[in-house]
Amino acid sequence: AVDESELLTVPDGWKEPAFTREDNPKGLLEESSFATLFPKYREAYLKECWPLVQKALSEHYVNGTLDLIEGSMTVTTTKKTFDPYAIIRARDLIKLLARSVPFEQAVRILQDDVACDIIKIGSLVRKRDTFIKRRGRLLGPKGSTLKALELLTNCYIMVQGNTVSALGPFSGLKEVRKVVLDTMKNIHPIYNIKTLMIKRELSKDPELRSQSWERFLPKFKRKNLKKRKEPKKKNTKKEYTPFPPPQPESQIDKELASGEYFLKDRQKKRKRVEEIKAKQADAIKKRQEERNKAFIPPKEKPVVKTKKASTEKKIDVEAIKEKVKNAKKKKLGALPVEEVKLKMAADEKKKKKK
């Protein structure tokens, strides 16, 4: 008895056995061929490397012809061709060579575990300037972004003109296509590169392989979203009615409704004069009110009484008494009494000695 979980998982390092002549000993019934055009600037390079292309195709018993006059490459099967998928790989090889992929990389498509994907990006952006900026964002400064993407996906990526050519394993091609399309939708490739780096580290842990990785992956939100300004005047559609709108009343209809039509000319003139006088009176009244506004005094703010600071201070009686005593001793700059007595005594002693 074997566990079902072991049957469903692919063991590490497993490879599909190669397709040999023993699998298809009788070969193919019909001849198949594919052709593709290449630009003028690739002519010199293809002319140099075409012998190597023919040698690589001959190993799979496929013929290749280069037509420099028409600017096309053609691959066809032969009687010795036993692998039915070899012509499909040969078709991808000439497509990659036409898209400026070097021969050293393009020849890898003939291997069993290598596939290719040509992503058309020319029609994803309307403006040409915006397209060039986003394509440059995919390359990065000095090709650093593209190099990081190649290391994470194990794919060779070539950005040329309106297409992106990728060459590598199937799992890597899926990631490359997602990153390229997101970049053309104005999502910077650095966000996808961060996600790929986290996935690469998680895949190394055997316990996390069977678990969901959503909790580990970063969730990026758009911050600089500007809402569309709504117009001030919104045009609302009126309900459809089969009947036409009512005809506007004429001057005669208005006069008939008010009864003015039946008045005489004198009465009509008098009525008009009265209306004019009434309008003039209203205008004079409004003008007078505007003039009188200048004479109306403005409302004064209420006076707020400020509290006076208390000026009363405690009087130090002892300090005043000491000042008075000192003043009595000193009389307008004269010497004190004790000093005068001492001086007089000293003078008397001098006289006696003489």
Side-chain angles (χ1 to χ4, degrees):
V2 182
D3 294 337
E4 290 183 0
S5 59
E6 292 181 5
L7 293 172
L8 293 172
T9 55
V10 178
D12 293 335
W14 181 85
K15 282 187 179 181
E16 191 176 350
F19 193 86
T20 58
R21 185 173 284 279
E22 294 173 0
D23 298 320
N24 187 16
K26 294 183 179 180
L28 305 177
L29 295 173
E30 294 290 336
E31 182 183 298
S32 302
S33 65
F34 288 100
T36 185
L37 299 172
F38 59 86
K40 186 74 175 174
Y41 63 85
R42 292 289 289 169
E43 186 177 327
Y45 179 79
L46 290 172
K47 194 176 180 180
E48 287 179 8
C49 71
W50 195 250
L52 298 171
V53 175
Q54 285 181 323
K55 187 180 178 182
L57 291 172
S58 63
E59 293 176 3
H60 298 270
Y61 302 102
V62 177
N63 286 336
T65 55
L66 177 67
D67 193 347
L68 297 174
I69 296 167
E70 291 184 0
S72 64
M73 292 179 283
T74 311
V75 288
T76 54
T77 57
T78 60
K79 291 181 180 179
K80 292 183 179 180
T81 308
F82 61 89
D83 188 359
Y85 202 73
I87 188 66
I88 303 297
R89 292 205 186 96
R91 178 200 65 183
D92 292 340
L93 173 64
I94 59 174
K95 275 187 178 181
L96 291 169
L97 289 170
R99 294 311 313 154
S100 300
V101 177
F103 170 74
E104 292 79 9
Q105 293 290 339
V107 76
R108 288 170 52 210
I109 194 66
L110 299 174
Q111 300 172 13
D112 289 339
D113 56 345
V114 178
C116 74
D117 189 9
I118 296 172
I119 308 157
K120 294 179 181 179
I121 57 174
S123 60
L124 295 176
V125 184
R126 288 183 181 179
K127 292 183 180 179
R128 185 68 183 172
D129 295 338
T130 310
F131 168 73
I132 291 164
K133 284 179 184 177
R134 290 181 187 176
R135 188 179 64 182
R137 193 181 294 168
L138 185 64
L139 292 167
K142 297 181 181 179
S144 58
T145 306
L146 197 68
K147 190 68 180 174
L149 199 59
E150 286 180 352
L151 292 169
L152 289 166
T153 57
N154 296 323
C155 295
Y156 173 81
I157 305 166
M158 182 73 185
V159 181
Q160 179 70 23
N162 294 333
T163 58
V164 177
S165 305
L167 187 76
F170 291 99
S171 58
L173 293 175
K174 187 179 177 182
E175 297 293 341
V176 170
R177 176 170 276 274
K178 183 180 180 299
V179 173
V180 171
L181 294 177
D182 283 351
T183 306
M184 290 294 120
K185 291 175 184 175
N186 202 20
I187 298 169
H188 203 281
I190 195 67
Y191 299 125
N192 287 311
I193 286 169
K194 282 183 179 179
T195 307
L196 288 172
M197 288 172 73
I198 294 165
K199 283 182 179 178
R200 190 178 186 180
E201 293 298 321
L202 291 169
S203 63
K204 293 177 183 178
D205 193 348
E207 294 180 1
L208 293 170
R209 283 184 182 179
S210 60
Q211 296 179 13
S212 178
W213 292 350
E214 287 185 4
R215 57 200 172 108
F216 300 108
L217 299 177
K219 293 177 182 179
F220 301 104
K221 294 181 180 179
R222 292 187 179 182
K223 293 180 181 178
N224 298 330
L225 281 176
K226 291 183 179 179
K227 292 182 179 179
R228 187 180 170 226
K229 291 182 179 178
E230 294 183 358
K232 290 181 180 179
K233 294 181 180 178
K234 292 183 180 180
N235 296 326
T236 54
K237 288 185 178 181
K238 296 178 181 178
E239 292 182 2
Y240 174 74
T241 52
F243 305 105
Q247 193 173 359
E249 291 184 349
S250 62
Q251 189 66 26
I252 296 169
D253 293 335
K254 290 176 182 177
E255 288 179 357
L256 285 167
S258 62
E260 192 180 345
Y261 183 78
F262 303 102
L263 296 174
K264 294 179 180 179
D265 292 339
R266 287 180 185 177
Q267 291 173 336
K268 286 180 182 179
K269 285 180 181 179
R270 193 185 303 155
K271 193 176 181 181
R272 286 171 194 165
V273 171
E274 286 174 359
E275 286 176 358
I276 291 165
K277 285 182 178 179
K279 285 180 181 179
Q280 287 176 352
D282 290 337
I284 290 164
K285 190 178 179 182
K286 286 179 181 177
R287 206 180 302 134
Q288 195 66 33
E289 287 175 359
E290 289 290 330
R291 286 176 182 173
N292 291 336
K293 281 181 183 178
F295 300 103
I296 297 170
K299 291 181 180 179
E300 294 181 358
K301 292 179 181 179
V303 180
V304 180
K305 292 182 179 180
T306 55
K307 292 180 180 179
K308 291 182 180 180
S310 59
T311 54
E312 294 179 358
K313 293 181 181 179
K314 291 181 179 179
I315 298 165
D316 194 355
V317 181
E318 296 295 329
I320 293 167
K321 285 180 179 179
E322 287 180 6
K323 284 182 181 179
V324 171
K325 284 180 181 179
N326 294 331
K328 283 181 180 179
K329 290 177 181 178
K330 295 179 181 180
K331 292 183 179 180
L332 299 172
L335 292 170
V337 179
E338 293 175 356
E339 290 182 10
V340 172
K341 287 179 178 179
L342 291 169
K343 200 172 183 181
M344 288 173 69
D347 290 338
E348 286 178 359
K349 284 178 180 180
K350 285 179 182 179
K351 287 178 181 179
K352 287 177 179 180
K353 284 179 181 179
K354 289 177 180 179

